[in-house]
Amino acid sequence: MSNVIYQAQPPLEFIPPALNPLFLRVFDLVLPNWINWQTAITQIEADNVEVLVDLYRQFQEGKIRFMLAFRHPKTDDPLCLGYLLSQLVPRVAREQGTVLKSPIHAHFIYDRGIPLWAGSYVGWVASRLGGTPIQRGKADWTGLRSARDLFANGKFPMAAAPEGATNGLSEIISPLEPGIAQLGFWCAEDLHKAERSEQVLIVPVGIKYSYVAAPWDAIAELLSELEAASGLTVNPGGQANAASMELLYPRLLTLAEHLLSLMEKFYTKFYHQKLPDSQDISKGINDRNEALAVRLQALLNVALQISEQYFDLQPKGNLSDRCRRVEQAGWNYIFREDFKDVKGLSAVEKALGDRVAEEANARMWHMRLVESFVAVSGNYIREKPTVERFAETTLILWQMIAKIRSSKAFRRPQLGKQRVKITIGEPISISERYPVYKESRLGARQAVADLTNDLQQAMEGLIFRNL
């Protein structure tokens, strides 16, 4: 993460979308090679692409506006979506004899915080590709107005991840944020006011990763590294008989229990927090997985409370909601309205601001730890013991240890070559729901809630379709 986080700064500036057709063309040309070079992905295929071809045809004919609501388990997801639009959709359109105007692309919404940890160039690239940023933890009216305008008037359809952030798990969807549904109704409202006849749709898109060959040896080696880092007796990862689910799963459970014990001691001793006694939990719950789940939830709650207490926040909502509020509170301490004119500040004022920024960033660290585990349960592997679920869980533990050891951003280890399956779901009509939305405030809230729930079920259905 950039050192700028440790210093008080002026407020985060909005990065306006500035689509550059030439840059987009170059991006689309280099994307396949970039994916091969920078990721473990060797193959991307998609189901129901013909649905998307027809949607783009209708969009280009001025009949519809639509948003792609895609799953977001990994940071590679936007690259996969870009490949779908720039490579697979045109290919299927040619095979069908459907004439589409080039380029096939989508405006998209991204988290304004990404350029802070990934590098400012990411914001520049996203802007030139027609992306618009939003600050997730507050009512970012500038960002919302931009996304709203692009949805109703942009040259291309929209794309967004309704989960709001990655969760590292291909087969569990985090609770969806209602903002995507709200944008859909705003689009319908804007079209209605402008007396435009386009229908508004939201299209669920599933993204599923799988390994070309089961990377048990690589998982065993990574487990050995994590065991060494956490102070456990190291099991040799290179032994052939170690690379199996039967022998690796007890090691993973032992590692998870040990890390939990270390973190429980950390928060009880140095932050004076009360946590359930692990031995008492083990006595009451015989199943190791269930005991882990209970301990983990208690720990995550305490870790978030450390951040919330510092920022004077009440613990409302689920873990994801609480993380977003802590994040925004931290940004408010670091990117300050009263620091717009930094040159006008005295040396003492600047130093005090830096002290606050440093402390805010330190308190946000607890939230970042929780962020990695918002979708983790104790039964993910046991419910379906696949190498993919095992690898994802191991990588989440790796991410936890990486965050404990350093504040710098790390790239996750690549355990093996992967293939990606993208599934296009059936479009959900927002226009058909708009009459209920416009009836009253209560009707609007209910319409947004119902659409969010229906979208969640549709996206979960895409996962099960690929199982």
Side-chain angles (χ1 to χ4, degrees), residues 299-345:
L299 180 68
L300 296 181
N301 183 60
V302 160
L304 261 183
Q305 285 178 351
I306 298 298
S307 298
E308 290 167 334
Q309 289 166 3
Y310 176 76
F311 293 115
D312 195 25
L313 298 173
Q314 294 300 314
K316 296 179 181 179
N318 58 38
L319 291 178
S320 295
D321 295 336
R322 293 168 65 185
C323 284
R324 296 291 69 76
R325 282 198 297 273
V326 167
E327 181 180 56
Q328 189 55 51
W331 290 157
N332 292 341
Y333 276 40
I334 298 168
F335 301 97
R336 292 168 50 172
E337 290 290 335
D338 56 338
F339 271 53
K340 285 183 177 180
D341 181 16
V342 178
K343 294 182 180 179
L345 298 172

Side-chain angles (χ1 to χ4, degrees), residues 225-426:
E225 293 177 14
L226 301 182
E227 288 164 344
S230 59
L232 286 173
T233 301
V234 177
N235 287 274
Q239 295 180 0
N241 63 354
S244 68
M245 172 73 78
E246 291 74 16
L247 292 178
L248 292 183
Y249 190 50
R251 288 175 57 184
L252 184 66
L253 285 176
T254 299
L255 174 63
E257 290 168 341
H258 180 66
L259 288 172
L260 270 176
S261 296
L262 292 177
M263 296 307 295
E264 287 165 346
K265 292 177 183 177
F266 173 71
Y267 279 110
T268 54
K269 181 175 181 179
F270 297 105
Y271 289 89
H272 317 295
Q273 299 297 307
K274 293 183 178 179
L275 282 162
D277 186 271
S278 59
Q279 293 184 352
D280 291 341
I281 292 175
S282 298
K283 291 178 182 178
I285 303 175
N286 294 326
D287 186 271
R288 292 177 71 183
N289 290 274
E290 293 182 12
L292 271 172
V294 172
R295 292 173 62 190
L296 177 62
Q297 289 304 306
L299 180 68
L300 296 181
N301 183 60
V302 160
L304 261 183
Q305 285 178 351
I306 298 298
S307 298
E308 290 167 334
Q309 289 166 3
Y310 176 76
F311 293 115
D312 195 25
L313 298 173
Q314 294 300 314
K316 296 179 181 179
N318 58 38
L319 291 178
S320 295
D321 295 336
R322 293 168 65 185
C323 284
R324 296 291 69 76
R325 282 198 297 273
V326 167
E327 181 180 56
Q328 189 55 51
W331 290 157
N332 292 341
Y333 276 40
I334 298 168
F335 301 97
R336 292 168 50 172
E337 290 290 335
D338 56 338
F339 271 53
K340 285 183 177 180
D341 181 16
V342 178
K343 294 182 180 179
L345 298 172
S346 69
V348 171
E349 288 174 313
K350 183 65 170 62
L352 288 174
D354 291 345
R355 179 74 66 179
V356 170
E358 184 177 1
E359 179 69 12
N361 184 66
R363 294 292 175 159
M364 289 169 71
W365 176 87
H366 304 279
M367 178 272 295
R368 296 298 180 201
L369 205 62
V370 174
E371 203 173 32
S372 302
F373 290 85
V374 291
V376 173
S377 70
N379 297 314
Y380 185 60
I381 298 175
R382 188 170 61 176
E383 288 174 350
K384 185 185 176 188
T386 63
V387 68
E388 284 79 17
R389 290 194 175 201
F390 197 104
E392 288 171 351
T393 304
T394 306
L395 287 171
I396 287 175
L397 292 180
W398 172 88
Q399 186 177 32
M400 173 188 178
I401 291 175
K403 288 181 178 179
I404 292 172
R405 297 178 68 180
S406 173
S407 62
K408 296 180 180 179
F410 284 88
R411 185 175 180 84
R412 285 189 173 194
Q414 294 183 0
L415 298 177
K417 297 298 182 182
Q418 290 186 299
R419 61 172 66 92
V420 180
K421 182 66 167 294
I422 303 174
T423 306
I424 312 301
E426 291 300 317

Side-chain angles (χ1 to χ4, degrees), residues 71-74 165-170 372 380 392-393 396 412:
R71 270 246 54 210
H72 201 18
K74 295 178 60 176
T166 60
N167 66 12
L169 303 173
S170 288
S372 302
Y380 185 60
E392 288 171 351
T393 304
I396 287 175
R412 285 189 173 194

